[in-house]
Amino acid sequence: MTWDELAPLLRDATLETLQMTLWSAVLTAVGGLLLGVLLVLTERGGLLPVPPLNKVLGAVVNVGRSLPFIILMVAILPMTRAIVGTTIGTTAAIVPLTVAAVPFYARLVETSLREVDPGVIAAARAMGASRRQIVGKVLLREARPGLVAGLTITVIALVGYSAMAGAIGGGGLGDLAVRYGYQRFETGVMVATVVLLVGLVQLVQTLGDLVARRLTHR
Amino acid sequence: MIQIEKLRKTYRARGRTVTAVDGVDLRVREGEIFGVLGRSGAGKSTLLRCVNLLERPDSGRVVVDGRDLSTLSGAQLRAARQRIGMIHQHFGLLSSRTVAGNVAFPLEVMGVPRRERARRVAELLELVGLAEHAGAYPAQISGGQKQRVGIARALAGRPRVLLSDEATSALDPQTTGSILELLRGLNRELGLTILLITHEMEVVKRICDAAAIMRDGRLTESGPLAELLTRPGSELAAGLFPLPESGAVRPGTTVADVTFVGEAADRPFVSTLARTYAVDVNILGGAVEQVGDLRVGRLRIELPGDPDANAAQLAHLREAGLTVEVHGRDTALEGTS
């Protein structure tokens, strides 16, 4: 396979991987933060204790995290169809990617929020801050370095998951590696995709570390 | 200014009910610094957190500046809290905000417009002597400076009451001194009423006008310092002003602790006593110290003859406005060791 043949394939696959990863990362950041905050708020002794709801949310998160991605992807096909109108293609892959990553990130968010000094929360309450202000100005703000570090891990996991999205026609670098590198013994393609994937992961990690460090004032 | 009535607070922990505050009555007058002294686990922290309802009491009333907080909830309670300053043992600063940002926090909570916020923050930092550290993060300043930030932040809403939760317990003695001085100054200049809890006798000694001892959820004694110091058997007095272990009283002698506060401390009562009754007064121990604004002295004296024989002499001392505690024949009087 010549470079001229390979280049467009690599370019398209990279764009597909980026598209899947970035969209699901954005959706995961929102969903994971929301779910993580809810997990912390509703626990016993939390700011808005609703232990039964907390138990249900915890169980949902655990189910989401225990399913292997390839199975989850197939299991939620009806949901994917309901949301994006199709079950194949890059856009369709974003749904299972998000569904898999939200509980993962939610747990990381939960851990980060728990590490916020309870003394600071008590001080904010003593100053008359409302729950909303405590969540926005204290919890999320104080936990920012941890939240960014967690999101970095999640995005890297998403890059990995997106390699499996080929199974439902999502395309991407992982799919390219399987179809050309593995099934057609094109070692060059395999090497190229691996190099690109490693580079992408490095880039995400470096960026994440940089932002997290900027936000740390401990 | 702060009135606490029959306050009770219990916790359930591992199936057991623990009574943290067990029927406390307390009154802090306007402009006063009131110290609650106790060991850890005595319930003093819970008591303090009940004052701004960080903990909701099981029963009893908390009235601050004429408002019964225990009846408030939601937005009303939050508004009331904004008018009560609080400082904390571990400062409770936001690590992600600068010194100025931390002081601005309560102003943001109150919805003060940005421009006025900046002006007020500068003013507050000036007040606590941290103007040049406005842009530093809490991790970059010392413990004493952190507590100054805490104090500036607590004063943001122009409170008339400040609650202090072991504010100097994490600080070294020298820094403790400077923070206590700052609190004393704010108390005098702003007329700020301060309710503080501490396990350090030194804090009570240096800045309190009145104090209470808390043990097992109850106040065992309570009152203005001047009064406590002259109250026979007062544990606080003994702690504020310890005298050495007396040992046994020699037969045929009278041993008495004489405490003098304020003006009485300025009169030479020992020589007067010796001259008037022609007795030999033996001094076994004693000291004169500054407790808050008061000069307080305590002497342990020994007179020849048993207490019955010295009735007139002891009465003379009492008439002179001194507090006299006579040691028993066999054992030292409780509370004076």
Side-chain angles (χ1 to χ4, degrees):
Chain A
M1 204 171 192
T2 66
W3 176 250
D4 285 343
E5 287 170 315
L6 183 58
L9 285 176
L10 280 176
R11 192 197 59 216
D12 290 350
T14 304
L15 286 177
E16 281 160 1
T17 291
L18 285 177
Q19 191 188 347
M20 284 188 286
T21 309
L22 288 179
W23 275 110
S24 51
V26 168
L27 295 171
T28 298
V30 176
L33 280 172
L34 216 66
L35 190 54
V37 167
L38 270 177
L39 280 169
V40 172
L41 285 184
T42 57
E43 73 181 341
R44 197 182 302 276
L47 284 170
L48 190 70
V50 193
L53 177 62
N54 188 266
K55 286 228 164 64
V56 171
L57 290 176
V60 168
V61 165
N62 286 343
V63 168
R65 293 206 47 203
S66 53
L67 284 180
F69 179 65
I70 193 89
I71 296 183
L72 178 122
M73 202 161 51
V74 176
I76 66 161
L77 280 177
M79 181 179 152
T80 306
R81 190 195 312 280
I83 292 174
V84 296
T86 173
T87 58
I88 50 172
T90 311
T91 312
I94 293 171
V95 176
L97 283 171
T98 306
V99 170
V102 162
F104 180 79
Y105 186 46
R107 280 290 183 219
L108 296 176
V109 169
E110 185 191 11
T111 309
S112 293
L113 296 183
R114 261 189 229 292
E115 274 168 19
V116 174
D117 179 4
V120 180
I121 297 165
R125 286 181 60 214
M127 285 182 269
S130 63
R131 276 191 202 102
R132 185 191 299 263
Q133 286 169 325
I134 291 174
V135 170
K137 289 176 187 286
V138 181
L139 278 179
L140 291 176
R141 171 108 190 197
E142 284 286 287
R144 270 189 329 194
L147 296 177
V148 169
L151 190 61
T152 307
I153 296 173
T154 307
V155 170
I156 289 171
L158 277 172
V159 172
Y161 286 163
S162 74
M164 285 180 249
I168 58 165
L173 288 166
D175 184 44
L176 186 70
V178 171
R179 285 191 289 122
Y180 287 80
Y182 178 63
Q183 290 166 352
R184 301 187 196 172
F185 306 103
E186 294 273 5
T187 309
V189 179
M190 185 67 99
V191 171
T193 54
V194 167
V195 167
L196 279 169
L197 281 172
V198 169
L200 182 60
V201 168
Q202 285 287 0
L203 186 74
V204 171
Q205 187 68 53
T206 307
L207 221 66
D209 287 347
L210 192 79
V211 175
R213 204 166 34 234
R214 277 277 168 83
L215 294 173
T216 304
H217 298 288
R218 285 182 195 282
Chain B
M1 187 53 96
I2 303 175
Q3 208 169 328
I4 297 171
E5 287 168 17
K6 297 189 181 66
L7 193 79
R8 266 181 70 84
K9 173 74 186 176
T10 55
Y11 291 105
R12 292 195 59 81
R14 278 180 248 114
R16 284 191 318 134
T17 304
V18 182
T19 306
V21 178
D22 191 3
V24 164
D25 292 292
L26 183 85
R27 199 190 183 104
V28 183
R29 286 173 300 187
E30 183 163 3
E32 187 173 64
I33 302 186
F34 194 109
V36 176
L37 188 73
R39 302 210 179 118
S40 52
K44 53 192 194 315
S45 202
T46 307
L47 173 67
L48 194 74
R49 292 163 68 94
C50 281
V51 176
N52 59 2
L53 256 73
L54 283 183
E55 309 271 5
R56 197 164 272 280
D58 297 350
S59 62
R61 250 158 55 95
V62 181
V63 181
V64 180
D65 204 1
R67 282 196 94 174
D68 185 350
L69 297 187
S70 28
T71 62
L72 303 181
S73 62
Q76 279 181 314
L77 177 58
R78 290 200 300 275
R81 279 180 184 152
Q82 290 167 4
R83 306 277 296 141
I84 303 175
M86 188 171 193
I87 52 178
H88 311 264
Q89 179 173 7
H90 298 295
F91 322 121
L93 302 181
L94 291 134
S95 63
S96 57
R97 283 181 175 228
T98 61
V99 165
N102 269 283
V103 179
F105 182 87
L107 298 167
E108 285 173 33
V109 165
M110 283 181 263
V112 175
R114 181 183 294 269
R115 189 162 307 176
E116 196 185 328
R117 227 157 52 204
R119 201 178 50 73
R120 182 92 181 110
V121 167
E123 200 176 285
L124 287 160
L125 288 179
E126 193 67 47
L127 183 68
V128 299
L130 280 181
E132 70 273 33
H133 292 95
Y137 284 91
Q140 299 165 328
I141 59 177
S142 71
Q145 288 170 329
K146 282 182 201 170
Q147 195 55 284
R148 282 170 189 272
V149 178
I151 292 169
R153 184 177 69 174
L155 296 176
R158 302 182 194 278
R160 300 183 64 201
V161 172
L162 180 72
L163 307 177
S164 165
D165 186 355
E166 298 270 12
T168 57
S169 300
L171 304 174
D172 62 62
Q174 209 177 342
T175 314
T176 293
S178 78
I179 292 295
L180 292 179
E181 245 163 66
L182 176 63
L183 290 177
R184 193 44 155 167
L186 293 170
N187 161 257
R188 288 194 176 132
E189 284 155 34
L190 309 176
L192 191 65
T193 305
I194 302 178
L195 173 59
L196 63 86
I197 61 162
T198 182
H199 65 266
E200 297 168 303
M201 188 61 80
E202 189 63 25
V203 171
V204 173
K205 195 169 179 170
R206 289 187 68 154
I207 64 166
C208 289
D209 302 305
I213 287 192
M214 190 161 187
R215 179 173 299 148
D216 298 330
R218 295 164 190 266
L219 301 187
T220 54
E221 54 180 280
S222 170
L225 237 49
E227 195 189 305
L228 287 171
L229 285 166
T230 55
R231 187 182 293 175
S234 161
E235 208 181 317
L236 251 167
L240 286 171
F241 209 153
L243 275 178
E245 201 73 41
S246 63
V249 176
R250 286 189 292 158
T253 64
T254 301
V255 174
D257 288 342
V258 182
T259 307
F260 37 99
V261 176
E263 293 170 35
D266 298 331
R267 287 196 290 268
F269 77 91
V270 174
S271 53
T272 312
L273 182 71
R275 223 175 314 119
T276 313
Y277 293 90
V279 288
D280 293 320
V281 181
N282 189 18
I283 294 175
L284 301 177
V288 178
E289 276 198 58
Q290 192 78 20
V291 175
D293 287 341
L294 300 165
R295 208 146 81 83
V296 187
R298 187 177 270 181
L299 277 186
R300 179 165 293 161
I301 60 172
E302 186 186 51
L303 302 171
D306 59 27
D308 295 336
N310 283 307
Q313 285 85 326
L314 296 172
H316 166 84
L317 293 175
R318 292 197 172 104
E319 270 161 36
L322 307 171
T323 305
V324 182
E325 290 172 74
V326 179
H327 289 234
R329 286 198 169 80
D330 304 315
T331 51
L333 199 77
E334 211 183 319
T336 56
S337 55

